[in-house]
Amino acid sequence: MIRVCKAESIRKAEEKAASCGISYSTMMENAGYATVTELCKRKDVKGKSVFVICGSGNNGGDGYVVARLLNEKGAFCRVFSVDEPSSHTAQLAKKLYTGDCILKNDKSIYEADIIVDALFG
């Protein structure tokens, strides 16, 4: 079952987790891992073309984590960044992603087997 939460609820949960000593980097890794785990339950990603659209905030950072983990599972990811990451945590996630980054939109999105939206919370 997938639960949809409002951005404010997520923000409060993240603040509470941070106050308990869980870093934003760990939360980003956990979010990416959970996304990839759920995606792999639904679809075999090995050999698939994946297009990840990343925003500039922490949601974009989650997208870089997803792309990195999907590459490790044998997918071929391309990341389109709408802008440079604005938070330190998202910047770190981008540095850890060593795959293909597209600075302008191109037609590869139309050829993707899977599209991941990492723009909005």
Side-chain angles (χ1 to χ4, degrees), residues 13-89:
E14 288 174 341
E15 288 171 2
K16 186 170 183 169
S19 72
C20 292
I22 300 172
S23 71
Y24 281 94
S25 183
T26 297
M27 287 185 253
M28 197 169 283
E29 286 292 320
N30 290 344
Y33 180 80
T35 301
V36 170
T37 298
E38 187 62 34
L39 181 57
C40 288
K41 285 181 190 175
R42 296 166 184 248
K43 189 165 185 82
D44 180 15
V45 299
K46 189 171 185 172
K48 299 291 190 236
S49 170
V50 181
F51 195 91
V52 182
I53 306 167
C54 292
S56 62
N58 286 338
N59 294 315
D62 295 345
Y64 289 109
V65 173
V66 167
R68 187 186 83 235
L69 295 175
L70 285 173
N71 276 344
E72 291 173 6
K73 293 203 172 281
F76 301 104
C77 294
R78 298 190 85 187
V79 171
F80 170 63
S81 303
V82 297
D83 206 350
E84 285 300 312
S86 59
S87 75
H88 174 72
T89 309

Side-chain angles (χ1 to χ4, degrees), residues 64 67-68 71 77-79 93-101:
Y64 289 109
R68 187 186 83 235
N71 276 344
C77 294
R78 298 190 85 187
V79 171
K94 183 178 180 183
K95 285 181 187 175
L96 291 173
Y97 170 68
T98 57
D100 192 15
C101 270

